[in-house]
Amino acid sequence: MKKVGIVGANGYTGSELVRLLAFHPMIELSFLYSRSNSGTKISDLYPDLATVCEMTLTDKPSQVEILFLCLPHKESQNWLSQNTVGDETLVIDLGNDFRLDGSFQNRNFIYGLPEINKKNLSGVKSIANPGCFATAIQLALLPLAEKGLLNEVYTTGITGSTGAGQSLQSTTHFTWRNDNISAYKTLTHQHVDEVLQQLNSFNDKKVGLNFIPWRGDFTRGIFTSSTVKSDLELSDIEQLYRDFYEEAPFVKVNERAIDLKQVVNTNRCVIHIEKNDNVVVIHSAIDNLLKGASGQAVQNMNIAMGWKENLGLDLKPVGF
């Protein structure tokens, strides 16, 4: 059993990690860190954890073998600078501090998208977990990028309110979200650079990504649609995707139309491809808190530790 600590356990991604790791057969939760809620039981913050975990949040971390950082963006560097973490501790950061530049102190963070980096993740001690939109968009485009078939990409994506974090904002309040949608950060979303860094490392020509994210009137999940041009037959494109994800246990290419309920509460990504003339649309759907955050972090932990990739992640989607 490996001792695990979660920094920022009071947030959505941190509490999802608690839910997942409480049933993981290879780990023992050692501490749940929170400055703002120190002394409070995690189940008092999240009543759904009442029968899962009764640990009390603390602001005094201890030494562990695996450390998850579930902090607001740009806060992970500060936390690592202010606290002692052993060189042999596996650190998995769920923020965006190390996705573009993985060098920090004596650590070199490896980008943790298992579908392209599985071999590089084995045995490492520092992992930068991908962003939620970045995960959904990359999984929709990587098979084409690998073959040098991407040029200009136009993507729309809609996300649930949990994607904005736990802190209440005007655009996450029920009275605003209910029966409402809106675009935000048009063409400037923080995940664009992350996606392009990975796509351009595969594609033999520079990719252009025009991304419009939307706020959805639901709690969790991400659905993206990416439009590209290709002269390949639809059947050839579908086969390209099946071959690319042949050894990816959490990615499924569907011939039928997909929807969010196929992935909510799972670490899965489902993909559906459509084509009209030379215009191709690749749809992808994930749970933003699982495959887009905490579930993928556990997947990365499993790979780094040499455990079965889907250990603790055999989750059923919530269909109704």
Side-chain angles (χ1 to χ4, degrees):
M1 300 287 281
K2 301 294 183 181
K3 291 185 176 181
V4 171
I6 301 174
V7 178
N10 57 305
Y12 285 145
T13 57
S15 65
E16 281 294 278
L17 272 173
V18 173
R19 178 171 73 92
L20 293 172
L21 296 178
F23 299 103
H24 196 288
M26 301 300 291
I27 72 96
E28 174 189 350
L29 286 172
S30 183
F31 73 82
L32 305 179
Y33 180 95
S34 170
R35 288 192 298 266
S36 57
N37 291 282
S38 178
T40 303
K41 290 173 64 174
I42 187 70
S43 57
D44 287 340
L45 290 180
Y46 295 95
D48 58 301
L49 294 177
T51 59
V52 175
C53 180
E54 298 290 341
M55 292 179 65
T56 298
L57 296 161
T58 180
D59 59 2
K60 295 178 175 59
S62 57
Q63 290 299 308
V64 291
E65 293 156 288
I66 302 170
L67 180 68
F68 291 93
L69 301 177
C70 305
L71 296 167
H73 297 318
K74 302 305 178 186
E75 289 296 318
S76 296
Q77 291 189 35
N78 292 336
W79 197 91
L80 289 174
S81 297
Q82 297 166 8
N83 294 272
T84 301
V85 178
D87 291 343
E88 292 304 308
T89 297
L90 168 59
V91 176
I92 301 177
D93 179 38
L94 279 73
N96 68 357
D97 291 33
F98 310 113
R99 293 171 187 163
L100 297 179
D101 181 5
S103 300
F104 182 73
Q105 296 178 340
N106 61 335
R107 291 182 175 271
N108 183 33
F109 284 79
I110 304 300
Y111 189 70
L113 189 64
E115 288 73 20
I116 59 172
N117 251 357
K118 188 180 300 186
K119 291 182 180 178
N120 295 329
L121 293 167
S122 179
V124 301
K125 296 301 181 184
S126 307
I127 298 174
N129 218 54
C132 51
F133 265 129
T135 295
I137 296 171
Q138 287 179 83
L139 292 177
L141 297 174
L142 281 166
L144 294 175
E146 185 194 38
K147 299 298 183 182
L149 298 175
L150 289 182
N151 189 356
E152 201 71 13
V153 182
Y154 296 87
T155 299
T156 61
I158 190 166
T159 183
S161 58
T162 53
Q166 188 193 41
S167 299
L168 183 61
Q169 305 169 39
S170 60
T171 55
T172 58
H173 197 288
F174 175 82
T175 55
W176 190 92
R177 281 265 178 167
N178 190 48
D179 296 327
N180 197 15
I181 61 171
S182 71
Y184 71 106
K185 296 183 181 179
T186 298
L187 305 178
T188 63
H189 194 276
Q190 66 271 16
H191 289 177
V192 169
D193 289 341
E194 177 185 344
V195 173
L196 289 177
Q197 177 173 269
Q198 302 305 315
L199 293 182
N200 286 325
S201 70
F202 281 80
N203 213 59
D204 60 1
K205 54 183 177 289
K206 188 175 181 180
V207 178
L209 176 61
N210 307 277
F211 175 43
I212 303 175
W214 290 80
R215 302 180 180 97
D217 60 343
F218 51 92
T219 303
R220 58 197 294 167
I222 282 178
F223 194 109
T224 73
S225 299
S226 296
T227 302
V228 300
K229 290 188 175 181
S230 176
D231 292 324
L232 290 176
E233 295 294 328
L234 176 59
S235 59
D236 293 331
I237 297 173
E238 290 175 332
Q239 190 59 51
L240 180 69
Y241 274 69
R242 291 192 189 95
D243 291 344
F244 189 91
Y245 291 119
E246 184 178 9
E247 298 183 5
F250 294 110
V251 181
K252 169 72 173 176
V253 181
N254 283 9
E255 292 184 4
R256 299 172 60 182
I258 61 174
D259 59 77
L260 273 181
K261 284 192 173 183
Q262 292 176 261
V263 297
V264 169
N265 194 50
T266 79
N267 195 54
R268 299 167 60 197
C269 172
V270 292
I271 293 172
H272 175 62
I273 306 166
E274 299 183 273
K275 188 172 188 288
N276 185 27
D277 292 331
N278 70 335
V279 178
V280 181
V281 179
I282 307 101
H283 306 288
S284 66
I286 65 170
D287 185 317
N288 59 294
L289 292 180
L290 288 172
K291 183 56 176 168
S294 304
Q296 186 152 245
V298 172
Q299 184 181 356
N300 282 324
M301 174 189 72
N302 289 339
I303 295 170
M305 299 300 295
W307 301 329
K308 190 177 179 181
E309 189 173 351
N310 63 347
L311 196 62
L313 292 170
D314 291 328
L315 305 169
K316 177 193 176 296
V318 179
F320 49 86

